[in-house]
Amino acid sequence: MRILLPSLALSLVACSAAEPRPPPTDRFVYPSGIHYRSVAGSTRGILYVSSANFDRCFDQGTVMAVDLDRVGTEGNRLPLLSESSANPAAPVVTLEQLNVPPESQVFIQSYAGELAYWERTDAAPRIFVTARADGDFIHYIDVPEPTRLSCVGSTGNNCIEGALSLTQVSGQTDDLPRAPAPFGVDVGAQGDVWVTHLSAADSPAGSAPSGLSKAFQSYVVRLPGDEPRVSTSDFFSLSIPDLPQGGSNSVVVDERYVFVSGRYDVYASRSQATRRFLLRVLDKNNPGRLIDPGLDLSFAANDSRGLALTARPAVSGAASRRLYMAVRSPDSLLIVNVEGSEGDSPRMTVVGSVPLPLGPTEVELVPRGDGRAELVLISCSEAGVVAIYDPDVGQVVAQVSVGQIRGTESPRPFGLDVQREGNSARIFASNFGDGRISVIDIPNLDSPQNARLVAYLGARQDVGQSATCTEVQQ
């Protein structure tokens, strides 16, 4: 074995580390957040995808606007949803060439989480992407044209320059408030942006591992969607005396209430093993008012992940709503009845649970029209499947595998979004593990059990050259 002298070895590492490592422009790298957009004049629509750059092989992550009409090669394009319906036996299509031009890609911080899309009435649409690497940022990205992205607060395509840190906030006391590891994001009807964070904030910062933290706090952060700015008054505590603490995972914003799922935090939760933070509800009319409906007393899960709330009935008070929550240990879909969400006294009650494949993560709804309950989609990361729950049947009616599990490694589906076309639907799932987007079609929403995988978008990152990070890591 050849041995380098210490001084020479350090010199080589320093030189290598200084070399730029731009992320690839022709593939996804640990894709996470995702949003589908139907666009006039486009046959297949546009897909916005964030790449998390989870192994830090590159300097940054990315957000891409993928024109689905251009993905693939001439003669090998993404099948139309109508074509898929007419040919249910067609083989799965692999489309490695994304054909994304420079103006359709911007750079963000690594470890991207969820992605939210705001369709503004008076300006171009805006995208919000969280990232929990250095700086704990949320990025503001404008979409002046369907496939053109523009970083807010930057003159170039590096959105980190104008990103908003949720841990470096003026006016903190003992390093609080702050939101380490921002993850979940949702946008209210008035453009209010709400952000969660996976790790409870210790005080002082960095004291949790030593057991010397004086306090732990979890927050949901409210930001103005029209301008990236934040102050300590934008942090709303999710902590309730004598109730469990933890991180916060996902968020759903309704007209009046903000629903936040709780993520287990080994440091903040170690003295509260008998209870779990599954759901907290914030009153936007009175942000100091926080509700814990005690779901953990009805269903003893370890923590909760994605959540989705059914639409408000057309007639006020005509019916209750359902909140669907992905929970872990046991891995299940929790069904919560929500009543009075337009008034001062909302009530949330667990009315059912459904066992799920391993690792339920994100939840998305597929509307089916008047008189039909929405289908519930759940990405099950460890099992490598997208599960479909039909409330009208009361069970999971389909489990669609999104890729081959290699050894112990799953394709790890994460983000979900839906294209609805007549009585059919197309599901897009970001495969965090293998680097692709899976495309699943439901030809007839009356028969969701016939859902099937139809295509992969992008090249695999878990085989061949893409599977090995050859760059020098610090």
Side-chain angles (χ1 to χ4, degrees):
M1 177 184 294
R2 183 183 179 188
I3 300 177
L4 294 176
L5 294 175
S7 58
L8 177 58
L10 290 173
S11 175
L12 290 175
V13 169
C15 291
S16 299
E19 295 178 0
R21 298 173 296 155
T25 60
D26 59 348
R27 62 184 176 93
F28 309 117
V29 182
Y30 294 93
S32 52
I34 190 170
H35 176 78
Y36 173 80
R37 179 185 180 189
S38 179
V39 176
S42 172
T43 303
R44 296 171 179 82
I46 311 299
L47 200 63
Y48 302 102
V49 182
S50 60
S51 285
N53 186 35
F54 191 70
D55 57 4
R56 302 297 288 264
C57 270
F58 308 102
D59 291 328
Q60 297 165 299
T62 62
V63 174
M64 291 183 182
V66 182
D67 185 344
L68 296 176
D69 284 341
R70 298 186 58 185
V71 171
T73 60
E74 193 66 36
N76 187 29
R77 301 292 188 190
L78 179 65
L80 299 175
L81 183 52
S82 57
E83 295 172 344
S84 174
S85 302
N87 188 9
V92 177
V93 177
T94 298
L95 306 170
E96 293 191 353
Q97 295 188 31
L98 299 177
N99 301 318
V100 176
E103 66 271 16
S104 299
Q105 176 174 282
V106 293
F107 304 112
I108 61 171
Q109 185 55 284
S110 299
Y111 300 171
E114 295 181 354
L115 177 154
Y117 178 89
W118 181 24
E119 186 69 69
R120 295 190 284 183
T121 58
D122 57 350
R126 178 164 285 180
I127 291 172
F128 306 92
V129 183
T130 57
R132 57 193 186 276
D134 316 323
D136 296 296
F137 292 129
I138 181 167
H139 308 82
Y140 287 52
I141 303 168
D142 280 344
V143 190
E145 299 173 9
T147 56
R148 185 161 69 88
L149 302 178
S150 175
C151 299
V152 176
S154 171
T155 57
N157 60 358
N158 184 356
C159 292
I160 297 178
E161 295 174 3
L164 200 63
S165 173
L166 298 184
T167 51
Q168 303 298 318
V169 183
S170 178
Q172 292 171 322
T173 302
D174 292 332
D175 297 323
L176 296 177
R178 72 184 201 284
F183 185 76
V185 58
D186 195 23
V187 186
Q190 305 304 315
D192 45 324
V193 181
W194 296 82
V195 182
T196 67
H197 59 107
L198 296 183
S199 302
D202 53 355
S203 176
S207 60
S210 65
L212 299 177
S213 178
K214 296 184 292 184
F216 288 97
Q217 286 289 332
S218 293
Y219 304 92
V220 60
V221 188
R222 181 183 62 190
L223 306 170
D226 57 351
E227 181 183 350
R229 63 180 188 275
V230 65
S231 69
T232 56
S233 62
D234 297 316
F235 289 71
F236 300 105
S237 176
L238 296 174
S239 301
I240 299 177
D242 301 321
L243 287 181
Q245 298 192 80
S248 51
N249 193 92
S250 293
V251 57
V252 168
V253 184
D254 196 27
E255 292 178 8
R256 177 163 177 177
Y257 293 97
V258 180
F259 299 79
V260 182
S261 61
R263 183 75 169 257
Y264 180 78
D265 184 293
V266 64
Y267 299 116
S269 305
R270 57 188 166 191
S271 62
Q272 301 162 329
T274 59
R275 293 288 306 273
R276 289 290 183 262
F277 161 19
L278 295 185
L279 181 71
R280 300 273 157 87
V281 183
L282 184 79
D283 186 348
K284 289 201 289 185
N285 289 356
N286 179 13
R289 179 184 177 221
L290 187 64
I291 301 168
D292 187 309
L295 301 186
D296 65 308
L297 296 175
S298 300
F299 192 89
N302 190 54
D303 67 359
S304 51
R305 303 301 173 97
L307 64 170
L309 181 66
T310 61
R312 187 181 299 278
V315 179
S316 179
S320 59
R321 306 166 72 184
R322 289 290 166 88
L323 179 71
Y324 294 99
M325 302 175 56
V327 299
R328 299 274 185 100
S329 299
D331 292 3
S332 306
L333 178 67
L334 206 60
I335 305 168
V336 180
N337 200 54
V338 179
E339 297 179 294
S341 60
E342 70 282 352
D344 295 333
S345 303
R347 298 173 300 282
M348 284 139 280
T349 308
V350 175
V351 295
S353 64
V354 181
L356 288 173
L358 291 178
T361 301
E362 293 288 284
V363 182
E364 185 73 21
L365 301 179
V366 184
R368 291 193 285 182
D370 295 339
R372 300 294 307 277
E374 296 94 334
L375 292 176
V376 185
L377 312 176
I378 311 99
S379 57
C380 299
S381 295
E382 293 179 35
V385 305
V386 172
I388 303 176
Y389 171 75
D390 187 344
D392 290 346
V393 178
Q395 64 184 30
V396 172
V397 295
Q399 297 182 32
V400 183
S401 173
V402 297
Q404 180 182 359
I405 295 180
R406 295 171 173 267
T408 60
E409 293 300 318
S410 162
R412 305 190 73 82
F414 175 74
L416 298 167
D417 209 2
V418 179
Q419 171 192 356
R420 173 76 185 277
E421 187 177 293
N423 199 41
S424 302
R426 171 164 283 176
I427 303 164
F428 298 93
S430 60
N431 288 7
F432 188 85
D434 70 22
R436 301 181 293 181
I437 304 298
S438 294
V439 184
I440 299 168
D441 283 356
I442 306 177
N444 186 339
L445 291 174
D446 295 327
S447 303
Q449 66 273 14
N450 294 326
R452 69 180 190 91
L453 182 71
V454 299
Y456 291 114
L457 312 181
R460 298 190 70 126
Q461 68 188 19
D462 59 341
V463 295
Q465 185 176 358
S466 299
T468 304
C469 180
T470 57
E471 305 296 334
V472 173
Q473 299 295 293
Q474 295 267 28

